[in-house]
Amino acid sequence: MKIIANREIKYLFYAIVGVVGSFCLLTEIGVWFLSRNLRALILIFILFLLLLLMVLGLCYRYFSRQNRMLENAVDQINAFLDGDIDARIACDEEGEIYRLFHSVNTLAAVLSAQASNENREKEFLKNTISNISHQLKTPLAALNIYNGLMQEEVKCISDIQEFASLSEKELDRMETLVQNLLKITKLDAGSIVFEKRMENVEELMKDVELHFAYRAKQDRKTLTFTGDDSLMLYCDRDWMMEAIDNIVKNALDHIKEGDFVHIEWRQFSSLIQIQIKDNGCGIHPEDLHHIFKRFYRSRFSKDIQGLGLGLPLAKAIIEEHNGTIEVDSALGEGTIFIINFLIPTKL
């Protein structure tokens, strides 16, 4: 019998037998000295024996039930350790042992959540490494081709200059990928301290215009800005510029010659809104819910230069400023990105 194998339970049974037996013996001695009645002694002995058997029976039944509960708990724990993350111990009643079971179930739930998170992180890391490898493969292959051509076939200075220029573009592409990866990684790790202060939005937009004016002119695309010249935004200037630059760059990448990108900012009662609108080809409805995912590449997009990091980085920066970003688009009509920042209030 398993319950008797438990030393403490065994000692309890011994104690019960000893107490009942001692009380029976003392009672027998007392009755004998008082009455000298043998039949009474036998009757008292039988009654004490029945009492002892009943007490031992009840104890055995109770400890047997407790033993079954513990064995079931051990089975569930072993099942959890063997990989069944849904294994739990039944703990629907009250009592100290059920509190223990509940704590074990809570621990199992926490461990399951951590294991699930670790699996998602491993999968994310695997996909990220795969995407980085894919993104680096194209410029590296191009660089190898250009280098081989310059070494073996190209003799004209103008051709060498052309391939050197192409190589520089591929190197810039790789540098952009690495820099954006570092920025996103720092944001994920929470290692960036934003130096926020009140900034004039129009001055921010002037820097954006300065950044993209030459490119827009070269590509024959129009870049326009409108908004309140006194509007102030509480932000980290450099990081906010990074976010807006990425969105504007994305817009310029997806419009053709003669199209426009228009940036507008305004204040409402409780928020500041920045809109970046273009009249380009638009975003396919299938892609609208995925454009902020890292390395996402649409099967409908003809863009082969995009890295899939600009918009996710912009979104992360905006959210670090307690802002939100939304996108609305129609195929053939254009796209609008709407950025909202709540205005801090003093209560």
Side-chain angles (χ1 to χ4, degrees), residues 134-135 138 170 173 176 215 221 246-256 281-283 287 291 295-312:
H134 176 74
Q135 294 287 351
T138 302
E170 297 299 335
R173 184 181 176 190
T176 300
R215 175 186 170 179
K221 299 172 183 178
N246 281 333
I247 300 172
V248 174
K249 179 183 181 299
N250 179 79
L252 289 171
D253 287 342
H254 291 87
I255 62 174
K256 60 183 183 296
C281 59
I283 302 172
D287 298 327
I291 62 171
F295 299 105
Y296 179 74
R297 300 296 299 273
S298 169
R299 63 189 182 96
F300 304 102
S301 176
K302 297 179 181 178
D303 174 28
I304 60 174
Q305 297 299 320
L307 301 173
L309 285 175
L311 292 180

Side-chain angles (χ1 to χ4, degrees), residues 140-248:
L140 284 173
L143 286 171
N144 283 328
I145 293 173
Y146 300 148
N147 187 58
L149 289 172
M150 285 189 287
Q151 286 179 337
E152 298 176 4
E153 300 181 16
V154 178
K155 297 180 181 179
C156 177
I157 295 297
S158 61
D159 289 339
I160 293 176
Q161 289 176 341
E162 179 185 355
F163 286 128
S165 177
L166 291 171
S167 296
E168 185 178 6
K169 288 182 180 179
E170 297 299 335
L171 289 170
D172 287 343
R173 184 181 176 190
M174 292 171 62
E175 182 182 8
T176 300
L177 170 64
V178 173
Q179 291 297 328
N180 284 341
L181 280 171
L182 289 173
K183 291 170 185 175
I184 288 182
T185 302
K186 289 180 179 179
L187 286 171
D188 288 344
S191 60
I192 293 175
V193 178
F194 289 93
E195 298 179 0
K196 298 179 183 179
R197 58 177 64 88
M198 298 304 295
E199 299 286 352
N200 183 276
V201 178
E202 185 179 47
E203 292 181 2
L204 289 174
M205 297 308 164
K206 285 181 179 178
D207 288 344
V208 174
E209 182 179 14
L210 185 63
H211 190 182
F212 291 104
Y214 179 76
R215 175 186 170 179
K217 183 178 179 180
Q218 290 293 108
D219 295 345
R220 293 184 175 85
K221 299 172 183 178
T222 304
L223 194 59
T224 59
F225 298 81
T226 58
D228 183 357
D229 60 3
S230 63
L231 187 58
M232 304 296 288
L233 177 65
Y234 185 66
C235 66
D236 184 304
R237 184 185 184 89
D238 292 337
W239 282 100
M240 187 55 61
M241 285 287 300
E242 177 80 28
I244 296 174
D245 278 358
N246 281 333
I247 300 172
V248 174

Side-chain angles (χ1 to χ4, degrees), residues 35-146:
S35 64
R36 306 282 181 172
N37 189 333
L38 183 60
R39 294 179 63 183
L41 292 177
I42 295 174
L43 179 61
I44 290 172
F45 176 78
I46 294 173
L47 290 175
F48 270 103
L49 182 61
L50 291 174
L51 175 62
L52 177 62
L53 293 176
M54 290 176 63
V55 171
L56 292 177
L58 291 173
C59 289
Y60 181 82
R61 181 179 178 183
Y62 172 78
F63 286 117
S64 295
R65 182 171 178 271
Q66 295 292 96
N67 185 67
R68 288 194 298 271
M69 288 170 50
L70 293 174
E71 286 184 346
N72 176 68
V74 171
D75 290 341
Q76 294 299 315
I77 293 172
N78 288 333
F80 181 83
L81 294 175
D82 290 336
D84 182 5
I85 61 174
D86 295 322
R88 296 292 184 273
I89 305 171
C91 54
D92 299 329
E93 299 183 30
E94 296 181 356
E96 292 300 315
I97 193 168
Y98 291 104
R99 288 180 58 191
L100 173 62
F101 290 167
H102 179 72
S103 297
V104 172
N105 287 342
T106 301
L107 176 61
V110 171
L111 292 175
S112 297
Q114 290 178 346
S116 179
N117 288 336
E118 288 178 1
N119 289 334
R120 283 197 297 269
E121 289 174 0
K122 287 179 181 178
E123 187 66 23
F124 174 76
L125 181 60
K126 176 183 175 183
N127 293 335
T128 299
I129 292 174
S130 175
N131 284 320
I132 294 171
S133 301
H134 176 74
Q135 294 287 351
L136 290 175
K137 189 182 298 181
T138 302
L140 284 173
L143 286 171
N144 283 328
I145 293 173
Y146 300 148

